[in-house]
Structures are given as C-alpha cells and as structure tokens.
Amino acid sequence: MEFNYTENQRMIADMIRDFGAKNIKPKMMEWDESQEFPVEVFKKLGELGLMGVLVPTEYGGSGFGYLEYVTAIAELSKIDGSIGLSMAAHNSLCTGHILQFGNEAQKKQYLPKLATAEWIGAWGLTEPNTGSDAGNMRTVAVQDGDYYVINGAKNFITHGKTGNVAVVIVRTGEVGDSHGMTAFIIEKGTPGFSAGRKEDKLGMRASETTELIFEDCRVHKDQILGQVGEGFIQAMKVLDGGRISIAALSLGIAQGAFEAALAYSQERQQFNKSISSFQGIAFKLADMATEIEAAALLTYQAADMKNRGLNVNKESAMAKLYASEVSVRVANEGVQIFGGYGFTKDYPAEKYYRDAKLCTIGEGTSEIQKLVISRAILK
Ligand SMILES: Cc1cc2nc3c(=O)[nH]c(=O)nc-3n(C[C@H](O)[C@H](O)[C@H](O)COP(=O)(O)OP(=O)(O)OC[C@H]3O[C@@H](n4cnc5c(N)ncnc54)[C@H](O)[C@@H]3O)c2cc1C
C-alpha cells in the first residue's frame, strides 16, 4: 500500500482547498444557521468532477478510484462536513447504486446527469420505524401490469427535496424475507412522489435531510435496478462502499478540528505561556494526532482493497466505526482546547463538534458496524 499522496490525490486536495477558501468558508456559517443546502456550490463541485468521482469517463464521470474519492471527501469535510456528507451521499448512494446495478440504458440515462451534478441524487432505505432494521421496511410496491404502485414513506433522506432523482428500496415480497425488496429509480415529478418534512438538525445543517412520501406512485418496471427481490442485497453492497466515504467524512472533520485546535493552542496564552506548552494540552494533541493517523490507515486500507475488487464488508465497517468515533473524540477535545471560545460560534470548534456526531449514526450506527464486524469475524 502506498502511503504518500499520488499526483492525482495531491491535485484534488489542492483544488478543493482553493475552491473551499473562495466558495465555502465565507458562507458556511450562514448556511449552517439557516439550514440552507447550497445547490450552486454543489453544482460547481460537479463542474470540477467531484460529483462523479467513481463514474467512468464514458458516462461523464472522473473515472477515479477510491483513494482519490477518500481524499476528495476528507479535504472537503475538513472545511465543511455538511458539503462532505452531501457529496458522499450523492456519489456513493444514488449514483453508486445505479453505477453498480443499473443496466446499460439506465446508466446512459442517469449517470452523465448525476456525475456532473446537473441532477442531484437521493437514496432512500430508512423509514420512520425501520432504521438499523431496514429489512423490516413497510413501504410497499404492488405490481399492476407493467407498473408498480408504491405507497409508504422514507425518512432522513439526504437531498429528499432538492434531488432530481432517487433510488428507493421498497418491499415487493414478504416482511422478513431479505429477497422481498426491490430498488426503483424514481424521478422528481413522478405523480404520487413528493418530499415531506425537512429535519431541523444538530449538525450537518447545510446538508438537506427530508422525508420522501409515496401515495399511489406508479413506476414503470423499466425503472427497477437489477431484478425484483434484489433490492436489499444491493443496498447492503452499496453501503459497504458508502461506509468508506463516511470514514473519509469522519477523517476530514477530525483533521479540521485538530488543525484548528493545534493552531489555537500555539496562539492562546495563559500563565504567560502558550497553552500548548502545558503537558495537559500537548498530550491531548498527541492523542488526537495518533488517532487520526490510525483512522486514516484503516480508511485508506479499505479504499485500497475496494480498488482491488476485494470484499470490504468488514474493513469498511471497521474504518467507519473507528474513524467516526475518533472524529467525535477529536472534535470534543478540540472544543476543550478552545475553552470558552470553543463554545461560541466565533471559532470553528463547535461546528466540527456538532457535525462529527452524525458520522457515528449515518449509513449504520457504531453498534451496527460492530454487528457487521462481529458477524464477519465469528463466521
Ligand atoms: C443527517 C442524516 C442523513 C441521512 N441520510 C440518509 C439517506 O440519505 N438515506 C437513508 O436511507 N438513510 C439516511 N439516514 C438514516 C440513517 O442511516 C439512520 O438514521 C441510521 O441507520 C440509524 O437508524 P435510526 O435512526 O432509525 O436508529 P435506530 O435503528 O432506531 O437505532 C436507535 C439506537 O439503537 C441501536 N440499535 C439498533 N439496533 C441495534 C442492534 N441490533 N444492536 C445494538 N444496538 C442497536 C442503534 O445503534 C442506535 O443507537 C440519514 C440520517 C441522518 C441523521
């Protein structure tokens, strides 16, 4: 495994730092305050090739692999976790599902629009009563000739309102049957398909999270991804890759929180010395830096394995579990190092702290990652 950035990774990191300084940093606290999802920024990131990182060039994407993908999400999340989360959901979930399981016609129809962010993608698995236990979902599709009629609701869906297209996994068989669910591609504007309530969130406030509602929504069978009954199995495979992107999101937030705390600890004077000269603060920084390195190694290991076509079920869960918990710990210590100022919106520490928490929840909680890892090592 190569530990240094490749030329492409360096280029992506420099490009995002430059873009973020001009287009994200000046406005991000406003978006956070008002919970505005900055669509224009998302589209500009699409013009830079960041909304189809893994999509082959023949479908309008950048044609990169997971190492570049991790670098891009981590660099973006170092600046603003909300935009990092939106980028991860768009690339890994909606676009990733169509890329992995779409037929040629579906790939040609949707990937060029998604890869350039002309269209924004959403992905719906979670329901109000079934999150970790997604296989117990109640949203149902009933066949009616060449169409399926969908009724029910999904919640916590990233880009549920702004998204132009959603991949949605719904029940087509019996409750409790892992082969009883099917994935559909549903375009915005399809009668009976609408966005519901927008969540008012603790963090990641500039990433839009809403309900999706289905009321006798008729979808043609050509919109099915793969075969009827494969939806849940497909979703688990999509999440294996997606978890690498949430590990990268966690890593970026941790790195951002650490860099801010490191700089502040060298500027802030107490007892006529910089606070970094106190061992109590220096050891915190040492722990933060060490844990970030370990999280980076797990994340890049999973990315490298994914690039080589290996099964990353256990490794992506380990990377996501560890990096997300590190992110929360580092962001927490970041606030502590800033003292009272860390509790205010004048400094970035509080935003990292709020944003980091989502990483231990989205795309499977820490407890669910432990379930995945323990199943893999006990089999
Ligand atoms: C900002 C945000 C964006 C999201 N984006 C999307 C999206 O785009 N698409 C999508 O489909 N979903 C999305 N989600 C949903 C997310 O994946 C779920 O919230 C998550 O999987 C947890 O489900 P839940 O919230 O229903 O919690 P629950 O499943 O109710 O869990 C509650 C608690 O019980 C624990 N628990 C549950 N089962 C077990 C078990 N077997 N063993 C031990 N502990 C257990 C959990 O770990 C957790 O601590 C998003 C969520 C958020 C907050």
Side-chain angles (χ1 to χ4, degrees), residues 123-126 131-132 156-158 201 209 358 361 363-365 367:
W123 189 78
L125 178 68
T126 307
S132 302
F156 293 140
I157 307 306
T158 304
K201 306 197 297 292
T209 316
L358 179 272
I361 296 169
E363 295 199 29
T365 61
E367 291 76 14

Side-chain angles (χ1 to χ4, degrees), residues 49 56 74 77 80 146 157 174-175 213 225 252 281 292 311 324 327 359:
S77 309
D80 186 351
D146 283 346
I157 307 306
E174 295 303 311
V175 174
I213 295 168
L225 279 158
I281 298 293
I292 289 171
N311 181 348
S324 64
S327 195
C359 301

Side-chain angles (χ1 to χ4, degrees), residues 275-295:
I275 59 169
S276 63
S277 66
F278 304 129
Q279 197 177 57
I281 298 293
F283 278 15
K284 278 189 201 302
L285 292 165
D287 284 340
M288 291 156 86
T290 307
E291 290 201 309
I292 289 171
E293 287 283 330

